[in-house]
């Protein structure tokens, strides 16, 4: 009997995504092994708060992040969402940092992701704990948010399993 064509070591958010992506492209003789239990293996994915910021100087990295946001928005586990699209707000408290936020605004909009530069007052409107006297401005990316990473792993494990991928815990 033929063995798997692909063995993925690690079922964190990367291994689970890889299994999902290659099985979606027709690769089904795939086995994913993890030393821990599934879906919360105890690796980095189990500990991350899951902040997803799409702004990046690299167009490729920004596109990967945008793809992740779009994909995670479409995933759920038993009615629970895998992504909370609360938006991402970076603030500047120095003139140098404000210049950097303007530069980041240029990148992210050039890569086709909606973003807005905010005044200090607009930053405080969005996050009341900020001190309007200290903040010089902000960069808001409305489609950023929080990934529920273990749920996203579970959703992708379920989908890949339905396509024939084998997952072996412990
Ligand atoms: C405290 C913390 C906060 C973070 N916050 C964020 C954040 O806000 N936003 C963000 O984007 N990123 C964040 N990160 C980073 C993010 O969590 C990681 O980049 C991501 O989870 C890595 O995924 P992974 O699948 O590569 O690794 P892991 O989730 O660590 O998965 C690797 C898997 O491989 C398994 N494994 C390892 N060796 C073997 C072996 N020999 N045999 C079998 N299995 C093996 C492990 O058990 C593990 O399950 C954070 C990380 C930490 C720790």
């Amino acid at each position: 009997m033929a063995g798997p064509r692909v063995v993925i070591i690690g079922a964190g958010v990367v291994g689970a995504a890889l299994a999902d992506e290659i099985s979606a492209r027709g690769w089904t003789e795939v086995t994913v092994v993890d030393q821990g239990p599934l879906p919360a293996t105890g690796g980095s994915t189990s500990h991350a708060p899951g902040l997803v910021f799409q702004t990046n100087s690299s167009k490729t990295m920004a596109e990967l992040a945008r793809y992740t946001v779009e994909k995670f928005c479409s995933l759920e586990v038993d009615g629970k969402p895998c992504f909370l699209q609360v938006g991402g707000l970076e603030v500047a408290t120095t003139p140098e940092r404000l210049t950097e936020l303007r530069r980041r605004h240029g990148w992210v909009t050039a890569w086709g992701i909606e973003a807005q530069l905010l005044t200090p007052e607009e930053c405080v409107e969005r996050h009341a704990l900020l001190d309007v006297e200290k903040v010089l401005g902000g960069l808001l990316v409305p489609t950023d948010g929080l990934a529920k990473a273990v749920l996203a792993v579970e959703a992708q494990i379920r989908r890949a399993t339905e396509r024939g991928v084998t997952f072996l815990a412990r």
Side-chain angles (χ1 to χ4, degrees), residues 10-152:
V13 79
V14 172
L18 190 54
D20 179 49
E21 292 291 332
I22 64 173
S23 63
R25 288 161 177 76
W27 290 57
T28 52
E29 292 154 308
V30 177
T31 296
V32 186
V33 296
D34 201 290
Q35 63 193 358
L38 296 174
T41 64
S44 296
T45 303
S46 310
H47 299 285
L51 312 180
V52 178
F53 286 94
Q54 297 163 91
T55 308
N56 200 292
S57 59
S58 156
K59 186 181 182 192
T60 302
M61 292 304 291
E63 283 178 351
L64 275 169
R66 177 170 54 187
Y67 180 78
T68 298
V69 166
E70 286 167 7
K71 179 176 176 179
F72 281 20
C73 281
S74 73
L75 295 177
E76 51 95 27
V77 174
D78 302 332
K80 286 177 276 186
C82 295
F83 196 74
L84 307 177
Q85 203 157 36
V86 294
L89 176 63
E90 294 182 67
V91 295
T93 56
T94 64
E96 293 80 9
R97 180 72 182 152
L98 190 58
T99 301
E100 172 67 6
L101 289 189
R102 291 194 184 115
R103 186 178 299 124
R104 292 168 69 72
H105 178 253
W107 293 332
V108 73
T109 50
W111 307 151
I113 297 165
E114 188 203 332
Q116 298 154 32
L117 286 166
L118 302 186
T119 64
E121 291 74 19
E122 288 169 331
C123 291
V124 175
E125 270 171 33
R126 287 189 166 71
H127 193 77
L129 294 177
L130 291 172
D131 183 346
V132 76
E133 302 296 325
K134 293 197 175 142
V135 172
L136 302 180
L139 173 63
L140 176 72
V141 180
T143 51
D144 282 348
L146 295 169
K148 308 301 283 179
V150 174
L151 279 182

